[in-house]
Amino acid sequence: MNTLSNGAKLKIAELLKPILADQFVLYTKARNYHWNITGSMFFTLHIKFEELYNELALDVDETAERIRTYGSNAPGTMTEFLKLSGLKEEADGNYPDQFEMATKIAEDYNFLSARINEVGLKLQKEFGDEITAGKLYSIAERYEKHVWMLKSLIAKN
Ligand SMILES: [Fe+2]
């Protein structure tokens, strides 16, 4: 049973909001790249980016609903997401080449898995919230795998 106070739950919800924002920004970036990728890896990355944004669409929902479960409102506007996120969007009308796209998505997943791990540790240490921490760690593990796969795809050898 979850014995956290309402105050603690609200504090945890605040820690989850930047994660939701990062996931939403990355979702948008993966869609942008899915649409605009060109080059020899078109088929591989066009499909991979689609897989990733579909997964992120489920992940944003999980995070948002955890925030609601803990009694706070889930940020849901682009303005809030951009303010809260640690990730950078592509500049308007700028389309990196296929290698750069894969690199940037890998770096974003790397940033996000580090952020999630950090929040997970805080939830365990400061709040004893093993349930939310466990959810976060399983997400971070998936993201680390994406980093490995994307980096392997574009590795020179
Ligand atoms: Fe599509």
Side-chain angles (χ1 to χ4, degrees):
M1 199 183 98
N2 198 323
T3 54
L4 290 163
S5 68
N6 287 343
K9 285 180 182 173
L10 289 175
K11 278 185 196 154
I12 292 166
E14 287 310 306
L15 295 170
L16 297 177
K17 290 178 185 180
I19 294 174
L20 170 62
D22 288 339
Q23 288 170 323
F24 206 94
V25 169
L26 191 49
Y27 165 84
T28 306
K29 196 183 280 188
R31 274 211 175 257
N32 181 5
Y33 290 176
H34 167 78
W35 292 326
N36 291 298
I37 178 132
T38 59
S40 58
M41 295 190 293
F42 175 84
F43 286 111
T44 309
L45 282 175
H46 180 70
I47 291 165
K48 178 47 79 180
F49 292 149
E50 182 171 357
E51 267 173 40
L52 296 176
Y53 72 62
N54 283 331
E55 186 185 272
L56 285 159
L58 300 175
D59 291 347
V60 287
D61 211 51
E62 279 284 307
T63 311
E65 289 176 3
R66 193 69 185 159
I67 292 168
R68 294 292 297 130
T69 301
Y70 275 4
S72 189
N73 282 109
T77 68
M78 300 305 292
T79 318
E80 285 174 294
F81 290 144
L82 288 172
K83 211 183 290 169
L84 286 165
S85 177
L87 300 180
K88 282 213 166 59
E89 278 205 302
E90 207 52 66
D92 296 355
N94 185 56
Y95 307 106
D97 72 31
Q98 54 182 356
F99 293 97
E100 226 182 308
M101 282 183 177
T103 305
K104 284 182 169 186
I105 295 280
E107 281 169 358
D108 286 356
Y109 271 115
N110 207 27
F111 172 86
L112 197 34
S113 59
R115 161 113 96 185
I116 287 172
N117 190 45
E118 210 174 286
V119 172
L121 286 171
K122 205 168 180 174
L123 297 195
Q124 283 186 288
K125 280 189 200 153
E126 288 179 27
F127 300 93
D129 186 357
E130 301 292 335
I131 296 172
T132 311
K135 281 168 78 78
L136 291 178
Y137 293 142
S138 77
I139 294 171
E141 187 194 8
R142 266 195 283 119
Y143 291 179
E144 285 176 352
K145 198 168 177 181
H146 296 326
V147 175
W148 161 58
M149 288 189 171
L150 287 166
K151 286 195 168 163
S152 298
L153 175 71
I154 55 174
K156 298 268 188 306
N157 49 39

